[in-house]
């Protein structure tokens, strides 16, 4: 019987109020996982969290003769203070393996992309931002150490600061760290970009051609940004600068 009916039959009885059900506790918010994006023409690596770049680094990509491959890759291993073994490539003929140390071409950290390609450290910082490698993605040693610290915090939190500090201080100790939840890496070839609502045109380093001006206008349209005469003038100026630089 409902509470109203029970009260009519027994005036001394009281209807039992409905129990108040507390809403289930909300699940704790988790930060979105990080990923990496390398834009070859820009010579830049972005650390992505969610949909936003939280940190950017200048990098050296492959030369036109040894281009860095584009596509989606998954980084499943970080190697601190790696050894260098010459690949079976023409440019490496006659080269000898190098132990960890200042002469090692891999630098302080190697992020494994594939059997032939890596993100790794370098001391040739003067060539960062443009094509210089045999296909790998090079970073300043200080930058790749900082990036790897961030990746450890996101993917291998059990590998704490003490472990990392020890490997930073002891550059001759090689230590691989597996990543059981691999990190996504997207290597792209974008001549036109929109960064902080500003158009950026990048040199066509591999001579692939394209329509950077049309791409830039499309980026503005998708972003919902105004395409008035001032915006158009800025686009034309950027395009003329791009052509003066020889399109890469």
């Amino acid at each position: 019987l409902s509470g109203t009916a029970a009260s009519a039959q027994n005036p001394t009885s009281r209807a039992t109020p409905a129990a108040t059900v507390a809403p289930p506790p909300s699940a704790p918010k988790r930060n979105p996982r990080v990923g990496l994006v390398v834009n070859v023409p820009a010579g830049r690596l972005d650390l992505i969290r969610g949909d936003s770049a939280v940190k950017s680094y200048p990098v050296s990509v492959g030369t036109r003769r040894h281009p860095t491959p584009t596509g989606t890759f998954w980084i499943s291993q970080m190697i601190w203070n790696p050894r260098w073994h010459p690949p079976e490539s023409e440019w490496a003929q006659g080269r000898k393996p190098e132990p960890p140390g200042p002469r090692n071409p891999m630098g302080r950290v190697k992020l494994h992309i594939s059997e032939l390609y890596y993100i790794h450290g370098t001391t040739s910082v003067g060539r960062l931002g443009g094509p210089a490698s045999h296909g790998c993605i090079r970073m300043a040693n200080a930058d790749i150490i900082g990036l790897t610290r961030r990746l450890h915090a996101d993917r291998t939190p059990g590998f704490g600061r003490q472990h990392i500090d020890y490997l930073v201080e002891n550059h001759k100790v090689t230590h691989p760290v597996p990543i059981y939840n691999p990190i996504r890496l997207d290597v792209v070839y974008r001549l036109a970009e929109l960064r902080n609502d500003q158009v950026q045109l990048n040199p066509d380093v591999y001579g692939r051609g394209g329509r950077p001006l049309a791409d830039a206008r499309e980026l503005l349209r998708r972003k919902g940004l105004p395409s008035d005469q001032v915006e158009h003038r800025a686009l034309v100026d950027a395009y003329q600068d791009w052509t003066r630089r020889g399109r890469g």
Side-chain angles (χ1 to χ4, degrees):
L1 296 174
S2 67
T4 302
S7 299
Q9 292 179 8
N10 185 357
T12 60
S13 68
R14 294 183 179 179
T16 304
T20 302
V21 179
S26 58
K29 293 183 178 180
R30 298 183 60 184
N31 290 328
R33 288 297 179 120
V34 299
L36 304 176
V37 175
V38 171
N39 188 7
V40 171
R44 189 189 68 250
L45 179 149
D46 292 328
L47 174 67
I48 307 295
R49 185 178 291 280
D51 296 325
S52 302
V54 296
K55 184 73 174 177
S56 296
Y57 305 89
V59 298
S60 288
V61 295
T63 62
R64 189 174 295 197
R65 185 178 178 185
H66 302 282
T68 297
T70 57
T72 297
F73 306 89
W74 297 92
I75 297 172
S76 59
Q77 188 179 51
M78 298 181 277
I79 303 176
W80 283 91
N81 305 316
R83 298 176 177 272
W84 182 68
H85 300 279
E88 295 180 1
S89 302
E90 182 180 352
W91 65 267
Q93 289 182 1
R95 301 283 297 272
K96 296 181 179 180
E98 288 283 355
R103 296 179 55 188
N104 189 306
M106 294 286 104
R108 298 302 310 274
V109 182
K110 179 173 74 174
L111 305 179
H112 194 278
I113 300 174
S114 70
E115 289 304 315
L116 291 177
Y117 298 104
Y118 314 95
I119 301 173
H120 65 81
T122 183
T123 56
S124 300
V125 294
R127 305 182 72 181
L128 294 175
S133 78
H134 294 97
C136 286
I137 299 164
R138 300 176 183 172
M139 301 179 64
N141 278 318
D143 284 347
I144 198 166
I145 288 174
L147 172 64
T148 306
R149 285 183 183 275
R150 290 173 178 259
L151 298 180
H152 273 303
D154 186 78
R155 286 299 201 278
T156 61
F159 198 83
R161 180 178 296 179
Q162 281 186 320
H163 297 89
I164 297 172
D165 289 346
Y166 173 81
L167 293 170
V168 171
E169 294 169 6
N170 296 273
H171 64 269
K172 292 187 177 181
V173 177
T174 300
H175 190 82
V177 181
I179 307 171
Y180 297 109
N181 187 0
I183 301 163
R184 177 169 174 158
L185 165 67
D186 290 302
V187 182
V188 300
Y189 197 91
R190 296 173 184 157
L191 299 179
E193 296 182 285
L194 202 59
R195 294 178 61 79
N196 300 319
D197 294 342
Q198 296 291 321
V199 171
Q200 176 176 312
L201 298 184
N202 301 309
D204 188 8
V205 293
Y206 295 161
R208 295 181 178 179
R211 302 171 58 202
L213 195 56
D215 292 344
R217 286 181 176 138
E218 177 63 16
L219 288 172
L220 289 170
R221 186 191 66 80
R222 291 181 183 178
K223 190 76 173 179
L225 295 175
S227 55
D228 55 20
Q229 195 66 26
V230 174
E231 196 69 58
H232 175 73
R233 184 70 256 167
L235 276 175
V236 172
D237 289 345
Y239 181 73
Q240 289 177 344
D241 178 65
W242 181 75
T243 55
R244 281 195 298 269
R245 287 183 284 143
R247 304 183 183 184

